[in-house]
């Protein structure tokens, strides 16, 4: 079981290295299509589930969420990386929250955990490729998240919660024009 778990971790690390190389090369073109935010959340949660173990994930959809015109695979990758990080830094049996909400300007995905939080001096360094975290990770997953958001002209923010834990927010610019609903 340990060998299997470590092989999954190594595979994930290699995938993040490959993704980072593709994203930094500048040759990646976004495959922009209309997506339902809830579908992106569901798919991301399914991919991250093995890393979450016994942690409960609370999914919240706050209000009406318009369609997103994004590269769905890249947004899923960013959400999976955030969920897996939350799983690594949250004690077993605690909660992780995955939320989405819309404002006039943005659609925001949030991943919040029940872990110890992030030391204040590390908050500004988290998204640098190759940043070695105090827990021994190389921060590639968060660098991939930042690169994905940059490609979408979005923003990634991180803060510590008042009651502990960390919260990551992916803010994607809202596309004003929405496709017409098909006539059924």
């Amino acid at each position: 079981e340990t060998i299997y778990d470590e092989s999954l971790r190594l595979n994930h690390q290699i995938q993040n290295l490959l993704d980072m190389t593709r994203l930094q090369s500048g040759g990646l073109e976004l495959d922009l299509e209309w997506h339902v935010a809830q579908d992106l959340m569901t798919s991301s949660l399914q991919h991250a589930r093995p890393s979450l173990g016994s942690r409960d994930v609370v999914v919240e959809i706050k209000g009406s969420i318009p369609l997103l015109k994004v590269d769905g695979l890249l947004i899923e990758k960013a959400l999976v990386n955030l969920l897996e990080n939350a799983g690594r830094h949250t004690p077993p049996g605690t909660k992780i929250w995955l939320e989405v909400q819309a404002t006039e300007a943005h659609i925001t995905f949030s991943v919040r955990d029940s872990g110890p939080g992030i030391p204040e001096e590390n908050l500004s360094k988290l998204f640098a490729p190759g940043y070695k975290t105090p827990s021994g990770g190389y921060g590639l997953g968060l660098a991939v998240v930042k690169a994905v958001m940059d490609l979408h002209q979005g923003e990634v923010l991180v803060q510590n919660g008042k009651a502990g834990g960390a919260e990551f927010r992916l803010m994607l610019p809202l596309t004003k024009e929405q496709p017409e609903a098909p006539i059924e």
Side-chain angles (χ1 to χ4, degrees), residues 2-164:
T2 302
I3 292 170
Y4 177 75
D5 290 344
E6 286 300 310
S7 68
L8 287 178
R9 189 187 65 73
L10 182 60
N11 185 46
H12 181 71
Q13 197 74 354
I14 291 168
Q15 188 61 50
N16 274 335
L17 280 169
L18 293 171
D19 288 340
M20 200 63 217
T21 302
R22 281 184 27 233
L23 290 166
Q24 287 183 330
S25 72
L28 180 70
E29 287 188 35
L30 294 177
D31 183 16
L32 298 176
E33 292 187 18
W34 292 103
H35 292 274
V36 176
Q38 296 89 325
D39 291 347
L40 295 172
M41 293 167 72
T42 300
S43 179
S44 300
L45 196 50
Q46 288 173 343
H47 284 96
R49 178 47 61 197
S51 300
L52 299 175
S54 64
R55 293 155 193 89
D56 290 328
V57 178
V58 178
V59 177
E60 292 186 38
I61 299 158
K62 297 183 174 183
S64 177
I65 310 296
L67 294 174
L68 293 132
K69 191 166 189 176
V70 294
D71 187 317
L73 291 176
L74 289 178
I75 297 301
E76 284 179 18
K77 178 63 144 173
L79 287 170
V80 167
N81 281 344
L82 292 179
L83 287 166
E84 288 179 342
N85 272 356
R88 267 192 297 283
H89 299 288
T90 302
T94 58
K95 290 184 180 178
I96 295 171
W97 290 264
L98 174 59
E99 303 170 353
V100 67
Q101 66 182 353
T103 64
E104 287 187 27
H106 294 94
I107 292 178
T108 303
F109 291 97
S110 299
V111 175
R112 195 167 28 107
D113 65 43
S114 304
I118 301 164
E120 291 294 323
E121 64 273 9
N122 295 341
L123 286 174
S124 63
K125 305 172 194 173
L126 285 178
F127 302 105
Y131 169 67
K132 184 140 174 75
T133 64
S135 62
Y138 285 99
L140 283 173
L142 293 177
V144 168
V145 170
K146 172 88 169 89
V148 166
M149 294 310 294
D150 288 348
L151 280 172
H152 285 87
Q153 281 82 48
E155 191 174 2
V156 58
L157 303 171
V158 61
Q159 67 183 26
N160 285 314
K162 292 175 185 159

